[in-house]
Amino acid sequence: MKMENIPCDSDLFLTQREAQGSIRKGCDPFAQTQRSKLQHRRARINQQINKEMRMRAGAENLFRATTNHKVRETVALELSYVNSNLQLLKEELEELNSSVEIYQNESDAVSVPMIPLGLKETKDLDVTEALKDFIANHYGEDGSLYDKEIRELMDLRQAMRTPSRSDAGIELLVEYYNQLYFLDNRFFPPNKPLGVFFHWYDSLTGVPSCQRALAFEKGSVLFNMGALYTQIGARQDRLSVQGIDTAIDAFQKAAGCFNYLKENFSNAPSLDMSASSLNMLVRLMVAQVQECVFEKFLLQNPQNDLFTQLQAAQEAAKVEEVYTLVYRTMTQPPVKDYIPFSWSTMVHVKAEHFKALSHYHAACSLCDYSTAGETEVKTQEKAFAQFHVTAPEGPSLAFILQDPEERRKLGKAHLKRAIMKHEEAMRIHGLCKILRKMDILQEVLTLTHRKSLSKYSDIDHEEDFFETGEAPDIQPITCQRPEIKTPVFSKVKVTDIFHRLGPLSVFSAKHKWRPPQKVHLEKGDDGFGFTLRGDAPVLVAGIVPGGCAEVVDKRASMLTACELLGCNKENSKKSVLGSKSASALRLWSKRSKASKRNQNSNVVHLPFSAVQNSESMY
């Protein structure tokens, strides 16, 4: 895989990057902010879940292995205790994942809360010995010479575990992700594991997963990028256009991270990175973007004329449509048994809430504005023609718009549906114990319900004896479609930490190396008899015919043309050479013949691609 200012909510600790002189930032893991306390509790619960699962695995193995009836009874009793503890821990973790109010903006304004994700936790990782051994065995160098680079890599990974909730935190995660690309090419051969195990905990269940594949590390870091974007989006002040734009951008980038992960990471060991979970998260982020678009429309159009009310109703209907899709996704297995109940309940509440808002704005457009001239009637008729999914029952649309009483009746029907949907949202909200503790959501639902009741009482007449008809659904239309923004990893420029090993195209894990050999040359009248090219590493670009280098090459029986040809044939089975490399290999195998045919030339050029399994000459 190839991979892409809000103030930090805690103090930062700084690590000096010696190779580039830049400052790497991560949140202080000991800072006592609400967010850090929540993450510490998550880490503690993850460790306890890991311990209980190991105990359960051992007890289950003993239960299957023993034939002693008394032992089996004791083990069965112990298993029941362990399973009870696991259930309690998972419920505690679910409550933590439902604590969305901690990630919201701290202003006193009433706004609908968003759903953020917590970061995946990982264990400490020490790669010192593994990398030193690989450097010694594969590259033939003393691994202790790279202590500084190894320490820098481990510092970067440690900082990545506590990113700040800002653009700096995103850049830190991207920097580590980009370094993993270099690490993969330097130290992870295609057919031999390095012996390093990556441990990560599921973000929602706390179940630990372990793999030796570096792709698991990459995928987990990418997941945390998406999770951090959700936290950045949730904390924005959505009472300003700038705050809403930032939230939209953050949720769109979160959707891009989860979508990229879904398309490029298969066989996920943890449920939070499975295709079904990632698909649900992408849809959830798109729905939250659509909600922000609705809020932005209301901020930018405060005039409240008829057409603004119509468009607001259709925007709200669009929000309801996408949240309904998310709710259906959340209630399908295996996602249904995995995500917190509070999440699916909140999504259901939002779907009903925005359905109510769409009918409320529709009622306002009918009851607060009347027609004056024939031209205005035609304009309104054209707007209402595409407003409802189905035509209203009773008289024609033109007659309804011209008759104030008919407009009031249809508006009253819309308000009746709005009140019913508000009450349904409040009923669903009351079914969830965790949501009942969320004061901000309760405030929003109560406030909008009162507005609809007040509007209904304003247009209701005592002499109304007619039965209010069923208002048709509103056509969902939006002025701004959400965009899934694929992460652009190239925006964060990084330098390979292990660049001292040499160019990556040459000094990589996929290339085989023979042990280093010493060659002693005595300088002749014409020098040493070879030419050099490049820098770090210096390449032997050519050997002068009859020179000292050629003589020593023959006498010492160094790498002959036949040996090199055989070596490259063996290597070519594992990597496909381009047409230029293949032709260069043929030229190298015919070096002695070519030198005889070119006695008048001063230098015979030897392509470096023949000496090592590389793509091109430097």
Side-chain angles (χ1 to χ4, degrees):
M1 292 191 296
K2 293 182 181 178
M3 288 292 175
E4 144 130 277
N5 270 325
I6 306 163
C8 178
D9 55 352
S10 69
D11 295 331
L12 299 176
F13 73 88
L14 308 178
T15 303
Q16 182 71 35
R17 182 165 184 176
E18 296 172 350
Q20 291 180 307
S22 63
I23 299 296
R24 189 187 304 121
K25 300 178 180 180
C27 280
D28 182 357
F30 300 105
Q32 294 300 304
T33 63
Q34 291 295 326
R35 175 172 166 261
S36 63
K37 288 178 182 178
L38 196 68
Q39 202 66 30
H40 290 159
R41 286 180 60 194
R42 186 192 306 278
R44 177 183 57 80
I45 295 172
N46 286 339
Q47 292 172 3
Q48 290 177 329
I49 289 176
N50 185 28
K51 178 182 176 182
E52 294 292 338
M53 290 192 68
R54 293 173 66 180
M55 290 178 61
R56 185 174 70 176
E60 288 174 345
N61 290 336
L62 179 59
F63 186 84
R64 287 191 294 265
T66 186
T67 56
N68 188 301
H69 181 68
K70 195 168 185 178
V71 173
R72 288 173 69 91
E73 283 185 351
T74 305
V75 172
L77 182 61
E78 185 64 31
L79 273 173
S80 67
Y81 286 135
V82 171
N83 287 329
S84 297
N85 289 338
L86 272 173
Q87 185 61 33
L88 290 173
L89 287 170
K90 288 183 177 180
E91 288 176 2
E92 187 178 352
L93 186 60
E94 180 181 348
E95 186 174 352
L96 246 65
N97 289 319
S98 304
S99 303
V100 300
E101 68 277 2
I102 291 177
Y103 298 96
Q104 309 302 314
N105 185 267
E106 296 179 355
S107 67
D108 296 330
V110 178
S111 59
V112 182
M114 295 294 185
I115 298 178
L117 274 75
L119 301 179
K120 286 174 70 73
E121 286 287 334
T122 181
K123 288 185 177 181
D124 291 332
L125 180 66
D126 190 352
V127 296
T128 304
E129 295 304 320
L131 295 187
K132 282 185 177 181
D133 290 344
F134 191 86
I135 290 172
N137 297 331
H138 186 78
Y139 294 108
E141 295 193 44
D142 185 358
S144 62
L145 298 176
Y146 292 87
D147 282 339
K148 184 183 74 173
E149 283 84 353
I150 295 173
R151 186 170 61 254
E152 184 179 356
L153 175 67
M154 293 174 62
D155 287 344
L156 179 59
R157 189 180 191 273
Q158 185 64 27
M160 170 276 306
R161 296 174 63 181
T162 55
S164 61
R165 192 166 42 151
S166 63
D167 290 341
I170 295 294
E171 290 176 3
L172 174 60
L173 290 170
V174 176
E175 179 182 356
Y176 180 65
Y177 187 93
N178 288 343
Q179 285 295 345
L180 290 179
Y181 165 78
F182 294 113
L183 193 71
D184 190 14
N185 284 276
R186 293 282 192 192
F187 299 104
F188 286 80
N191 55 358
K192 181 182 178 182
L194 184 62
V196 176
F197 289 87
F198 300 100
H199 296 261
W200 287 85
Y201 294 94
D202 191 292
S203 64
L204 295 180
T205 65
V207 175
S209 299
C210 175
Q211 278 195 356
R212 289 190 294 186
L214 191 65
F216 183 39
E217 180 89 346
K218 291 181 180 179
S220 299
V221 174
L222 181 56
F223 185 95
N224 274 359
M225 286 174 55
L228 192 58
Y229 272 126
T230 67
Q231 296 180 16
I232 293 173
R235 76 171 300 180
Q236 300 306 311
D237 180 9
R238 303 199 311 277
L239 294 180
S240 67
V241 174
Q242 182 182 358
I244 291 181
D245 285 338
T246 305
I248 289 174
D249 184 63
F251 288 128
Q252 288 182 151
K253 287 179 177 178
C257 289
F258 296 134
N259 192 61
Y260 189 92
L261 186 57
K262 181 183 70 172
E263 294 177 350
N264 293 276
F265 190 89
S266 57
N267 302 320
S270 59
L271 286 173
D272 57 353
M273 294 167 63
S274 64
S276 56
S277 295
L278 292 172
N279 184 55
M280 178 272 295
L281 290 175
V282 171
R283 289 181 175 179
L284 176 61
M285 294 305 113
V286 169
Q288 295 190 143
V289 170
Q290 198 69 65
E291 182 178 348
C292 291
V293 170
F294 170 74
E295 293 174 337
K296 181 180 178 180
F297 175 82
L298 294 183
L299 275 179
Q300 292 181 324
N301 298 274
Q303 61 270 25
N304 285 334
D305 57 70
L306 181 142
F307 298 103
T308 300
Q309 293 287 358
L310 288 178
Q311 195 170 348
Q314 292 183 312
E315 289 284 358
K318 185 65 178 179
V319 180
E320 180 269 331
E321 181 185 59
V322 291
Y323 269 121
T324 300
L325 178 61
V326 176
Y327 179 67
R328 289 174 185 165
T329 308
M330 286 183 169
T331 52
Q332 296 295 319
V335 178
K336 177 182 178 180
D337 303 321
Y338 165 70
I339 63 166
F341 176 67
S342 61
W343 282 21
S344 58
T345 306
M346 182 182 287
V347 167
H348 195 187
V349 167
K350 285 192 174 189
E352 298 294 335
H353 171 70
F354 284 100
K355 185 83 167 179
L357 287 182
S358 68
H359 285 287
Y360 172 79
H361 287 288
C364 290
S365 67
L366 288 163
C367 299
D368 293 352
Y369 308 98
S370 58
T371 56
E374 185 177 345
T375 304
E376 190 175 353
V377 171
K378 290 183 178 179
T379 305
Q380 291 189 14
E381 187 176 353
K382 185 178 179 181
F384 273 98
Q386 299 178 344
F387 181 70
H388 292 108
V389 175
T390 57
E393 297 178 356
S396 65
L397 184 61
F399 181 79
I400 292 175
L401 294 177
Q402 292 179 25
D403 186 87
E405 183 62 19
E406 290 297 329
R407 288 176 73 110
R408 187 180 69 85
K409 286 182 180 180
L410 183 57
K412 190 175 179 180
H414 276 293
L415 275 176
K416 184 178 178 180
R417 284 200 68 180
I419 293 170
M420 290 174 61
K421 288 298 178 181
H422 281 308
E423 291 173 349
E424 178 66 9
M426 296 173 72
R427 184 191 70 82
I428 296 169
H429 173 270
L431 296 176
C432 182
K433 175 183 176 183
I434 295 174
L435 290 188
R436 286 200 301 268
K437 299 177 183 178
M438 200 177 299
D439 296 336
I440 184 172
L441 183 57
Q442 180 70 47
E443 272 189 80
V444 171
L445 297 178
T446 304
L447 183 64
T448 52
H449 182 230
R450 286 175 180 171
K451 284 178 66 177
S452 293
L453 286 174
S454 176
K455 192 71 176 176
Y456 189 86
S457 64
D458 289 343
I459 66 171
D460 188 31
H461 297 165
E462 291 183 2
E463 61 272 14
D464 283 347
F465 298 108
F466 61 86
E467 185 176 347
T468 307
E470 181 76 10
D473 288 332
I474 296 161
Q475 191 73 40
I477 298 176
T478 181
C479 61
Q480 181 180 340
R481 295 182 64 85
E483 178 186 356
I484 297 176
K485 292 188 175 181
T486 303
V488 183
F489 305 102
S490 58
K491 285 186 176 180
V492 179
K493 305 297 182 183
V494 299
T495 301
D496 180 10
I497 291 178
F498 294 90
H499 63 89
R500 286 201 299 128
L501 285 171
L504 188 61
S505 59
V506 179
F507 297 95
S508 67
K510 67 180 180 180
H511 296 155
K512 287 188 174 181
W513 301 87
R514 62 173 65 234
Q517 295 176 324
K518 292 183 179 180
V519 178
H520 179 71
L521 296 177
E522 292 184 2
K523 188 174 182 179
D525 296 336
D526 297 329
F528 290 107
F530 63 87
T531 59
L532 300 178
R533 176 182 300 173
D535 179 26
V538 175
L539 311 180
V540 178
I543 297 178
V544 178
C548 177
E550 187 179 49
V551 174
V552 172
D553 177 59
K554 292 178 180 178
R555 289 178 180 177
S557 300
M558 294 179 63
L559 302 175
T560 63
C562 293
E563 289 173 338
L564 285 168
L565 181 60
C567 177
N568 278 279
K569 283 182 178 179
E570 180 183 351
N571 288 336
S572 65
K573 295 177 183 178
K574 299 180 181 178
S575 63
V576 182
L577 294 174
S579 58
K580 293 179 72 177
S581 298
S583 61
L585 187 59
R586 289 193 292 271
L587 285 173
W588 169 242
S589 67
K590 300 175 183 178
R591 176 175 62 84
S592 57
K593 295 181 182 179
S595 62
K596 290 179 181 179
R597 288 196 301 268
N598 298 286
Q599 291 294 330
N600 295 329
S601 63
N602 293 327
V603 178
V604 178
H605 292 284
L606 303 179
F608 187 71
S609 57
V611 181
Q612 297 295 346
N613 186 20
S614 180
E615 288 79 4
S616 61
M617 176 180 173
Y618 271 70

